[in-house]
Amino acid sequence: GAEPFATLGEGVVQRLAADPRSADGHGIANLSWAFAVSRRDHPQLMAKLANFATVNMSIFSPRDLSNLVWSFSCLGHVPAADFPAFYTALLHSALPVLDQLNPLELANLAWALSAADPPETTLTLADARLISARVATIVAQAPVDASLLSQFHQWQLWLDECGHESADLPAAVRDAAHAAFARATTAPSALQRL
């Protein structure tokens, strides 16, 4: 049930408050991921993890950053409007290591950013271009799973919504991503279920 998760969440909040140096990025990313995939609602914990991550970004690997922002977006508790410092710090840490992200990590990052809807003051047009360029490179290098292409389609939809045409994915990637999205079995996203 939800009770063990609530107890765990409260324990982590207390531990981070008492001894922030005891935390490690991988553990925090895995914890937030576990809450997200089990659909356990703990807004206080997610806010605490976002605030902790904001000032401790250096302890997270590129994969951990991808998992962390994905879990926050799945749960909907760390919107960019309420946590601009987290997204600024995330992008400052993630953009220089985009080439280290594998297709899953990049898809999670792109989808999570589109779901969080950061303002252009946080995710600039230049940042969006870098992410789109990395997506294009990943897709060109090897076949990419349809579920990941669907996430890239959602990134493209967000770019369209923001009017970032100059950051668009290349036409071939856009078409492949749209086709994968259209073929996917439909189910409401985690954000739609909240």
Side-chain angles (χ1 to χ4, degrees), residues 64-77:
D64 294 336
L65 290 174
S66 169
N67 288 341
L68 188 68
V69 72
W70 178 87
S71 65
F72 288 166
S73 289
C74 281
L75 293 170
H77 293 309

Side-chain angles (χ1 to χ4, degrees), residues 87-88 91-92 95 98 113 117-132 155 158-159 162-168:
Y87 288 93
T88 299
L91 289 164
H92 180 75
L95 291 175
L98 280 177
L113 288 170
D117 192 24
E120 192 167 341
T121 55
T122 302
L123 177 59
T124 67
L125 181 56
D127 298 339
R129 284 183 189 132
L130 286 173
I131 293 168
S132 290
W155 167 254
W158 181 78
L159 293 171
C162 294
H164 290 333
E165 293 85 15
S166 66
D168 279 355

Side-chain angles (χ1 to χ4, degrees), residues 50-72:
N51 290 331
F52 177 83
T54 299
V55 296
N56 294 286
M57 248 340 131
S58 64
I59 69 169
F60 295 95
S61 72
R63 180 181 195 138
D64 294 336
L65 290 174
S66 169
N67 288 341
L68 188 68
V69 72
W70 178 87
S71 65
F72 288 166

Side-chain angles (χ1 to χ4, degrees), residues 13 37-38 42 56 59 79 85 94 98 102 105 111 127 131 141 157 165 168 182 191 194:
V13 167
V37 298
S38 63
H42 201 303
N56 294 286
I59 69 169
L98 280 177
N102 67 33
E105 295 159 357
W111 174 84
D127 298 339
I131 293 168
Q141 288 176 340
L157 290 176
E165 293 85 15
D168 279 355
L191 294 174
L194 292 176

Side-chain angles (χ1 to χ4, degrees), residues 7-175:
T7 302
L8 174 63
E10 292 305 318
V12 170
V13 167
Q14 291 172 5
R15 178 67 185 243
L16 284 176
D19 186 13
R21 294 178 314 235
S22 68
D24 74 279
H26 188 66
I28 287 175
N30 283 347
L31 177 67
S32 66
W33 178 86
F35 271 77
V37 298
S38 63
R39 305 209 190 290
R40 300 300 181 191
D41 194 30
H42 201 303
Q44 179 190 8
L45 174 63
M46 294 304 123
K48 181 70 175 179
L49 294 179
N51 290 331
F52 177 83
T54 299
V55 296
N56 294 286
M57 248 340 131
S58 64
I59 69 169
F60 295 95
S61 72
R63 180 181 195 138
D64 294 336
L65 290 174
S66 169
N67 288 341
L68 188 68
V69 72
W70 178 87
S71 65
F72 288 166
S73 289
C74 281
L75 293 170
H77 293 309
V78 186
D82 296 338
F83 293 88
F86 168 76
Y87 288 93
T88 299
L90 169 78
L91 289 164
H92 180 75
S93 294
L95 291 175
V97 295
L98 280 177
D99 61 334
Q100 295 176 30
L101 298 179
N102 67 33
L104 173 63
E105 295 159 357
L106 184 61
N108 285 345
L109 177 67
W111 174 84
L113 288 170
S114 64
D117 192 24
E120 192 167 341
T121 55
T122 302
L123 177 59
T124 67
L125 181 56
D127 298 339
R129 284 183 189 132
L130 286 173
I131 293 168
S132 290
R134 180 63 181 148
V135 169
T137 299
I138 287 268
V139 172
Q141 288 176 340
V144 175
D145 184 82
S147 65
L148 304 183
L149 286 170
S150 291
Q151 288 183 295
F152 294 142
H153 176 67
Q154 291 174 318
W155 167 254
Q156 180 61 53
L157 290 176
W158 181 78
L159 293 171
D160 293 344
E161 183 180 304
C162 294
H164 290 333
E165 293 85 15
S166 66
D168 279 355
L169 297 172
V173 175
R174 265 195 330 265
D175 292 346

